[in-house]
Amino acid sequence: MKTVLHTDWTVKDICEGFVYNELEGKGLFGMNGKLTIQPEYQRNYIYADGKKDVAVIDSVLKGYPIGLIYFVKTESGQYEVLDGQQRITSLGRFVTSRFAIKQDGMEQYFRGIAQDKQEKILNTPLLIYVCEGTESEIKEWFKTINIAGIPLNHQEILNAIYSGPFVTAAKEVFSNSQNANINKWSSYIAGAVNRQDYLQCALNWVSKGKIEDYMSQHRHDTDINELKVYFNSVIDWVDGLFADTYSEMKNIEWGRLYESYHKQPYNTKEISKKVAELYADECVRNKKGIFEYVLGACKDSKLLEIRVFEDRDKKVVYARQTKEAQEKGISNCPLCALGHDNNKKRIWQLKEMDADHVTAWSKGGATDISNCQMLCQTHNRAKGNK
Ligand SMILES: [Zn+2]
């Protein structure tokens, strides 16, 4: 691979003939059409937040470096931005007066700032590496370069590595903030559309966690039907099951739960009621576990991380039980005391015993001292497994 460092290309050169797509939020072309700012493997423009874009301009005005920029020179002699799209788009949007910066306490667009400042920006040279090489060389390298500003996340890197018709089509659906379904999806998926979190989720579900394999296999596909159909099946399944939405629903592996439970029939009214009850139960420490617990017929209470007894309560109960047992000459484990073996009269130490809910939590027993008994570890385990 060949790389050449250019130090004499200025903001003016790069932003000459800047074309920006307002609808899609993309910087498209610069250098009078010779530079493609957002090739298909690039992520969406995420600097337009009035902070990061302004910071780029402030840095230039103060003479601070804005970091290395990488272009790829294609066989046809065009340039494509490999890294630096966010910074170039910020510069291009500013010099075409699409956003303002604060100058002397006032909001100012490029056309309104003093001419010497305009010139300072336009004449600022950028540090640009131009690389020429095979597609695989460039992509391998893209995977390893360290990016100034916001690093590419894992999915953005995969989009670059497996760029092609499949990624392009998938991004149109799952990375597109204009998609009217995003609002519904956002009840069940965390993260940001433009950082590829929805795409990552959709790929994760359809591939059962093997995103890279899936992207590699489907790289040259021109349709994304399987991805779309599977994703919609999962979403529709969840959406149809639970009447209410809870914030914890965003962080649940719905794809895995769909695989395990979607063939089972549920009474949606009942499970929604059960979910609401568990949400109101202060003994349930892991709210996230409620959905899987309910789907699994309320059997695996480990998912809920039920509140356990406090040490000071255990000590109080231990002391009371032990005193009573010693007076009667029986074991301080009430279950041992009922037995017929050597442990019938055994006084266990505190560390040999565990706290147990007299009435199980699942049958409405509270986690407070009135519902606490100490059992020897063997009996506690045996009871816990029932
Ligand atoms: Zn016992």
Side-chain angles (χ1 to χ4, degrees), residues 249-313:
M249 284 178 151
K250 280 176 183 283
N251 291 305
I252 285 170
E253 301 165 68
W254 291 116
R256 180 175 64 77
L257 297 185
Y258 173 79
E259 281 301 312
S260 307
Y261 298 108
H262 81 276
K263 289 189 179 136
Q264 295 199 29
Y266 290 101
N267 178 328
T268 55
K269 243 190 197 158
E270 252 167 46
I271 62 171
S272 296
K273 198 176 134 218
K274 189 72 199 167
V275 169
E277 265 170 43
L278 291 166
Y279 256 89
D281 188 331
E282 56 171 24
C283 285
V284 175
R285 290 188 306 171
N286 182 25
K287 304 289 186 208
K288 226 180 99 177
I290 290 175
F291 304 95
E292 187 169 2
Y293 175 75
V294 170
L295 291 170
C298 299
K299 283 190 184 129
D300 188 1
S301 57
K302 275 198 235 55
L303 293 165
L304 304 176
E305 292 171 22
I306 297 304
R307 200 155 68 84
V308 293
F309 291 105
E310 312 254 350
D311 278 345
R312 59 161 197 272
D313 290 346

Side-chain angles (χ1 to χ4, degrees), residues 333 335-336 348 376 379:
C333 166
L335 297 182
C336 286
W348 301 91
C376 75
H379 275 123

Side-chain angles (χ1 to χ4, degrees), residues 19 165 167 188 226 232 237 275 381 383:
V19 178
V167 164
Y188 310 111
E226 184 187 51
N232 286 328
W237 176 71
V275 169
R381 257 178 239 134
K383 192 176 168 187

Side-chain angles (χ1 to χ4, degrees), residues 231-242:
F231 180 83
N232 286 328
S233 309
V234 177
I235 292 281
D236 291 344
W237 176 71
V238 183
D239 203 50
L241 274 178
F242 300 105

Side-chain angles (χ1 to χ4, degrees), residues 8-22:
D8 52 352
W9 289 350
T10 61
V11 170
K12 183 167 186 259
D13 296 328
I14 300 304
C15 296
E16 199 81 63
F18 177 75
V19 178
Y20 181 72
N21 181 330
E22 206 70 55

